[in-house]
Amino acid sequence: MEHGAFGDQRNATFSLTEEDHTLANAVRFTLNQDPRVTFCGYSIPHPSDARVNIRVQTTGDPAREVLKDACQDLMLMCQHVRSTFDKAVADFKTTESGQAMNTDCED
């Protein structure tokens, strides 16, 4: 849900339900990498409330578009991390099975 962007599209607060510091901090980090962002921060109104408020202020582009771009960038980063991890696991399993076969042959 978007709050406070009706007049000035450059500034907005977005409320994400069922989220916590995990996603909010990652989105904040990604937003702060964007040169169009002049300010970005998040808050959790209350610890028992599963909601995060993310504030975005930009140099001129609509805050909604900048947030959408940041989420897409974050998704690409997560996909890269996942594929790198999966490749490392596969390489490790291949190396381990090769070493296991070598030790079996030595006996």
Side-chain angles (χ1 to χ4, degrees), residues 20-39:
D20 59 10
H21 289 284
T22 305
L23 179 67
N25 195 39
V27 170
R28 180 200 57 80
F29 174 81
T30 308
L31 279 164
N32 280 324
Q33 301 302 308
D34 192 326
R36 299 174 293 174
V37 174
T38 58
F39 172 81

Side-chain angles (χ1 to χ4, degrees), residues 76-92:
L76 291 172
M77 280 189 263
C78 290
Q79 289 170 351
H80 174 72
V81 168
R82 179 60 188 251
S83 66
T84 302
F85 177 78
D86 289 344
K87 183 182 178 314
V89 168
D91 290 348
F92 176 78

Side-chain angles (χ1 to χ4, degrees), residues 43-55:
S43 64
I44 295 181
H46 193 273
S48 66
D49 188 11
R51 183 166 49 101
V52 172
N53 294 326
I54 299 177
R55 178 73 179 171

